[in-house]
Amino acid sequence: MVSYKELGLVNTREMFKKAMEGKYAVPAYNFNNMEQLQAIVNACGKSGSPVILQVSSGARKYADSTLLRYLGQGAVAMAREAGYQIPIALHLDHGDTFELCKSCIDSGFSSVMIDGSHHSYEKNVELTSKVVEYAHKYDVTVEGELGVLAGIEDDVSAAEHVYTQPEQVEDFVKKTGVDSLAISIGTSHGAFKFKPEQCTKNDKGVLVPPPLRFDILEEIEKRIPGFAIVLHGASSVIPEYVDLINANGGKLDAAVGIPAEQLRRAAASAVCKINVDSDGRLVFTAKIRETFAKNPGEFDPRKYLGPAREELVKMIMDKNANVLGSAGRY
Ligand code: G3H
Ligand code: 13P
Ligand code: ZN
């Protein structure tokens, strides 16, 4: 048993309390490798932003779960040595079984998500309650989910959104004891969140998606006032990076994300955590493609991963300051 507290990590309780009071959202960035982790920690350190480092099951398979955990846990020492005092949580993203959540809790994660959203309501309550009961013994915080995001969530894919039903949230929160709740109000995972035919074009020819269901969010806030809400699938799919990818041999047609103004509005509400993975992937791919296009003879990974890491720092600092509002709030 490794205690996250001994590693200098924190759970999300205090982070969310401050985010609720301060009307901003804490960023949760996914990482799969050293360069992404370095960029996240440096960017949030420079921003003075609290941060949640997210590890998915896919990331654990890709990078070796032990190695990835050590990387995440090394983030605190790395930040402190650089003079950054920001709070850092290490979080399991989309945990799908009790055993996986337990294994993360036992090995020093400070927060876990149990995603029972694909099960029946009753099974979701049962599974989430079991994880909460175990996690709270160690002061690890738990995120649950109600409603299903359209698109691909790990290996499960849903054609349509199943929006969160506000009538269920109070009962779910009360029965399970979760610390935060992921909801479905129109976001989805990946770079293709909306079909072009669902969008309109603005005067610059950019596809503008339909707005998120803020009416559902407001109804949820009324039913569980002051409770921390989480938004998954919240990448903006920043057009600048999509264009850079396409200009350097890529082919990402009709990639559309959540406009920054909508995320700002969500961050100022009960949404206390905003998940971003795809935007980081796009930045990395864009800079690597650009490096190879400029210098096809390059074969030193540091020469193409380095610029990708640098650009990721810029993107994250911009998001913290101008979209989530978390900069300077630690
Ligand atoms: O919610 C999904 C995250 O973007 C993680 O994606 O399962 O491909 O690592 P992944
Ligand atoms: P994006 O694919 O929009 O970055 O969402 C990531 C996410 O929700 C991770 O859990
Ligand atoms: Zn997610």
Side-chain angles (χ1 to χ4, degrees):
M1 183 84 202
V2 181
S3 165
Y4 71 83
K5 293 183 183 176
E6 284 163 21
L7 301 162
L9 293 161
V10 295
N11 67 26
T12 57
R13 201 166 290 127
E14 191 63 23
M15 283 183 179
F16 291 164
K17 188 170 171 274
K18 285 189 177 172
M20 184 74 74
E21 286 163 6
K23 297 193 178 306
Y24 61 91
V26 179
Y29 295 111
N30 289 68
F31 72 100
N32 300 271
N33 64 26
M34 181 188 79
E35 285 80 4
Q36 288 173 315
L37 179 77
Q38 288 174 308
I40 298 165
V41 174
N42 277 325
C44 292
K46 281 186 192 157
S47 292
S49 168
V51 65
I52 298 170
L53 303 170
Q54 293 204 137
V55 171
S56 70
S57 310
R60 280 165 55 96
K61 275 184 216 135
Y62 169 77
D64 183 286
S65 56
T66 307
L67 186 59
L68 201 62
R69 163 166 70 80
Y70 278 124
L71 262 183
Q73 292 169 344
V76 178
M78 185 195 144
R80 301 297 177 257
E81 267 163 40
Y84 305 133
Q85 300 307 322
I86 54 167
I88 301 176
L90 182 63
H91 175 80
L92 168 69
D93 191 25
H94 294 283
D96 57 350
T97 61
F98 171 77
E99 289 71 27
L100 172 58
C101 293
K102 180 179 183 300
S103 148
C104 288
I105 294 165
D106 291 351
S107 63
F109 279 59
S110 61
S111 177
V112 293
M113 174 185 193
I114 176 69
D115 181 354
S117 63
H118 300 282
H119 297 296
S120 68
Y121 180 75
E122 291 71 27
K123 178 84 203 295
N124 190 357
V125 168
E126 186 191 323
L127 179 61
T128 306
S129 306
K130 190 173 171 191
V131 171
V132 170
E133 193 190 352
Y134 187 77
H136 282 183
K137 280 189 207 160
Y138 304 99
D139 206 17
V140 168
T141 39
V142 181
E143 175 183 327
E145 180 166 337
L146 266 184
V148 182
L149 275 63
I152 299 166
E153 276 190 23
D154 278 319
D155 299 329
V156 186
S157 88
E160 299 293 336
H161 299 285
V162 179
Y163 295 117
T164 305
Q165 294 175 35
E167 314 79 73
Q168 288 184 335
V169 293
E170 199 181 345
D171 184 65
F172 186 81
V173 163
K174 210 184 277 171
K175 280 190 178 143
T176 59
V178 276
D179 302 281
S180 60
L181 183 67
I183 60 164
S184 171
I185 55 165
T187 61
S188 56
H189 293 106
F192 304 94
K193 299 187 189 301
F194 302 94
K195 296 187 190 86
E197 54 272 25
Q198 291 176 282
C199 304
T200 50
K201 268 195 183 159
N202 72 9
D203 47 3
K204 290 181 191 122
V206 176
L207 291 172
V208 180
L212 298 178
R213 292 290 304 271
F214 283 100
D215 56 322
I216 298 180
L217 175 60
E218 279 161 22
E219 194 53 42
I220 290 171
E221 286 188 61
K222 269 190 216 147
R223 291 177 188 249
I224 44 172
F227 194 81
I229 300 297
V230 178
L231 216 51
H232 281 245
S235 278
S236 289
V237 189
I238 304 167
E240 176 192 342
Y241 296 112
V242 174
D243 291 348
L244 195 56
I245 289 172
N246 289 338
N248 288 292
K251 196 166 167 25
L252 290 181
D253 296 329
V256 186
I258 312 296
E261 314 79 73
Q262 300 213 17
L263 295 173
R264 271 184 220 114
R265 182 173 165 193
S269 74
V271 170
C272 291
K273 171 175 180 266
I274 288 192
N275 285 13
V276 175
D277 188 354
S278 298
D279 278 343
R281 295 178 181 192
L282 291 167
V283 168
F284 246 63
T285 305
K287 291 311 276 189
I288 290 170
R289 277 196 177 275
E290 188 187 48
T291 305
F292 283 136
K294 282 185 184 156
N295 186 1
E298 189 52 71
F299 66 95
D300 179 345
R302 294 170 298 186
K303 298 281 169 48
Y304 51 86
L305 295 176
R309 182 174 63 184
E310 235 170 79
E311 191 66 27
L312 187 53
V313 171
K314 286 188 207 154
M315 187 279 279
I316 290 175
M317 288 185 72
D318 179 65
K319 209 176 265 292
N320 292 346
N322 300 318
V323 183
L324 278 67
S326 63
R329 302 297 197 118
Y330 75 95

